[in-house]
Each structure stands twice: as structure tokens, then as C-alpha cells.
Amino acid sequence: MNEQMNQVLRTPSNYLQGINITLDLSNVLELSEDAKILIIVDTYTMKDYRQRIEKSLDTAQMFEFVVFEGLLTMERLEVIVKEHEELDYDMVLGFGGGTIMDVAKAVSTLLQTTVVLVPSIASTDGPCSRLSAIYHEDGGFSHYMVREQSPEYVIVDLYILSLAPVRTFIAGIGDALSTYVEANACYLSMSVNDAGGLDTFSSLMIARSCKEIIFEDAVDAVKSLQEKMITPSFKRMIEANIYLSGIGFESGGLSIAHALHNGLTKLRSERRFMHGEVIAYTTLVQLATENSHEFTQYRDLCLQLGLPTKLADFGLTLDEKVKTIIEQTCFFEGSSMYHVPYEISPEIVFQAMEFVEKRI
Ligand SMILES: [Zn+2]
């Protein structure tokens, strides 16, 4: 049936990357004098970059800040929209971490405005996609809210990202590591991608470039960041984390790694883990389900970068309780768990998880 579907590739309208590009947002965004902007920030970006943003947007007619912390739930989203729907904003600008990107996309969808995304960390590939992850109050994943259009602007400031915590950058590499594995599984199984159609060959090649950059540049890029240096490998890795991985996952599609991640978020572990840290591990599980000869190569890179490679790294064991939650939350009609060109079942995933756990 899928053969009849269109092939769809979606990208942001504008992707701009540069050192201190956020010093001149009025020009970069070609702001008109009557522009009204709702700016969504987290406490860090509010503290560190408020003055920079105000100065950079000084040609706008008005702007207002919303400081957002915690998880994005439908209840919290509705509160923001209700408080701001009267003012007729032209633009929602998100400046912050992964959650802020999702909040800005979701708010702009409901307020029907342009969205501008300025990531302050490169921890996920969210900025280039239309999706916002919505959570339940208890922290469990609820659903994705999908914007009609891809973001109008993604503005990547290499200076700001060179000051970001190393852990967030490595988590972004973990997220990007899944991109080709999942896109390739979707391509081969003709599964529906998150852009609303079948994969194009171009999106598969974008995902492949993402993988190539990771294996070529990740280790050196992390070293650059530790030394706060903006090197060519750092620039390429930023592009891979944010752009290639973003296009690659949305227009390439998700598969086991993200489905299993969404199940694992229902489990309580003592330490809080970042999205990309969980994805690094679930990517290894996906590779194990397909008996990939590249498993060791991926696992070794994760070890080198300090990314989790076992369930034990999360303080969890594959007991009956964990198995039940995975079975209940990952295996349902429409789950990306089935986006593979081979048979998949809870037993096959558990076997793969056991294999991953035993590898030294
Ligand atoms: Zn992801």
C-alpha cells in the first residue's frame, strides 16, 4: 500500500550558521519596523543572553519574553497561548535548549506565526523539524505535535554553541548517531517518515552524510569544544547534529531507536538522562536486532565519547517489569518500532537488549 504514497523531503526555509550571528538578528531576519516578536527562553539564556537579544532585535516594534522551564505539556502550552493570543505576534523566537525549540514550534503553530529557532546547545536535532515532543505531567512521553510548515528560520550561533556544556553536545551526537540507522531501515522497509510520506533518496543521503561526519569528526569536535575552540570539525559536527540529523530523522524517518527511547522514558532511573544519551543506547539495540556488522564500530565510538552503551548505565536491568513496560509502550499500531525491513517482536528486541548488555 505504501508504494502509492508520495516521497516527501522537508527542510527549514532558512538555515544560517555563523560566529556571533545572533548579534545582528534584525538584519538576518530582515525585520520590518512593525514586527512583534514573542521570545521564548530558558532561565540560562535569559540570564546570559537577554541583553544580546534585546540589542539584536532593537528595530522591532515590540518584543516580550516568556521564560520556560521543565517539560512541555499540553496544559502548559495552552497557558502560554491564552496569555499571548490577543497581541497578534508576527513571530515566535525560541532561544534555548531542546525543550525551548519544541515550545517555540508548538506556540507558533497555535498562534499561527513564523518561527525562528536559535539553539543554545546542540543536544538534539529538533530545531530543523516540524515536531514538538509533548509530555505528560508525570514525565512520560505523550505525543508529537506537528507544525504544518518546517521552521522558517534556524539560526546557529557557533560562538554560543562553543560555550555550551560538553555533555549536551555529546548527547546531540548520540541523537545524530541514530539518524542513518533509522533512515536506512525506513528506506528499505518503505515506511512512512515523519515528513508525511516515503523517503527520498536525498534524505537517505543526508542521513548518510550525518553518519560520515560523526565517525570522522565527533572525537575531534568534542576536543575542540573542551578547549572552547571553533574548529572545522566542530563546525561540521554542529551541522551534523542540528541540520543533517534534523532533516535525516524527519524526512528519513524514525525506527526502533526512537520507539524504544519513548518506552524507556516511562521507566524511573536514579539519574536524569538526556534524549541523545538514551538514543545512543537504543541505536545499539536497533543495530543488534539487525545483526549489523557495524555494531562494534558504533559501540566503540559511544564508549570513546562516554555515551551509555548498556541498560545498566541507566541503573536499570532487563527484568520482567521493564519488559512489560517496553511491550506495552513500544508495540502498538503505528509505532515506529515496525519501521524495519525484517520481522520485529518484543522477544527479538529483548534478545537484542540482552546481547548489548553482555558486550564488554
Ligand atoms: Zn531524537
Side-chain angles (χ1 to χ4, degrees), residues 136 139-142 261-268 325 329:
H136 294 298
F141 174 77
S142 166
H261 161 275
N262 293 343
L264 293 179
T265 63
K266 310 271 186 223
L267 299 165
R268 287 267 157 257
I325 290 179
T329 57

Side-chain angles (χ1 to χ4, degrees), residues 5 20 22 50 61 96 120 122 125 147 168 176 192 274 352-353:
M5 291 185 82
N20 278 324
T22 55
R50 181 184 186 146
Q61 185 194 327
S120 61
D125 49 20
R147 235 178 151 253
T168 62
V192 179
M274 300 188 70
M353 289 173 81

Side-chain angles (χ1 to χ4, degrees), residues 239-258:
E239 214 181 306
N241 272 17
I242 298 175
Y243 188 81
L244 298 174
S245 181
I247 310 302
F249 102 74
E250 187 179 25
S251 295
L254 298 176
S255 174
I256 293 177
H258 275 76

Side-chain angles (χ1 to χ4, degrees), residues 124-125 175 178 249 254 258 275 279:
T124 72
D125 49 20
D175 199 17
S178 71
F249 102 74
L254 298 176
H258 275 76
H275 171 81
I279 292 292

Side-chain angles (χ1 to χ4, degrees), residues 224-334:
S224 307
L225 183 60
Q226 282 162 340
E227 293 164 3
K228 305 219 181 313
M229 301 273 287
I230 300 169
T231 60
S233 63
F234 177 71
K235 284 188 194 176
R236 280 194 293 272
M237 199 59 241
I238 288 291
E239 214 181 306
N241 272 17
I242 298 175
Y243 188 81
L244 298 174
S245 181
I247 310 302
F249 102 74
E250 187 179 25
S251 295
L254 298 176
S255 174
I256 293 177
H258 275 76
L260 187 58
H261 161 275
N262 293 343
L264 293 179
T265 63
K266 310 271 186 223
L267 299 165
R268 287 267 157 257
S269 96
E270 280 167 25
R271 227 182 108 200
R272 249 188 85 73
F273 285 88
M274 300 188 70
H275 171 81
E277 292 172 334
V278 181
I279 292 292
Y281 162 70
T282 55
T283 300
L284 295 180
V285 176
Q286 175 155 354
L287 288 165
T289 64
E290 60 189 56
N291 294 318
S292 169
H293 67 278
E294 291 183 316
F295 176 86
T296 308
Q297 194 192 352
Y298 275 77
R299 201 268 324 263
D300 288 353
L301 182 68
C302 288
L303 287 172
Q304 212 177 346
L305 295 171
L307 283 164
T309 57
K310 291 175 179 190
L311 203 55
D313 294 340
F314 302 98
L316 297 168
T317 41
L318 189 58
D319 53 24
E320 286 311 310
K321 194 179 139 233
V322 169
K323 283 184 179 177
T324 307
I325 290 179
I326 290 172
E327 201 166 339
Q328 285 172 349
T329 57
C330 305
F331 290 87
F332 54 90
E333 209 190 314

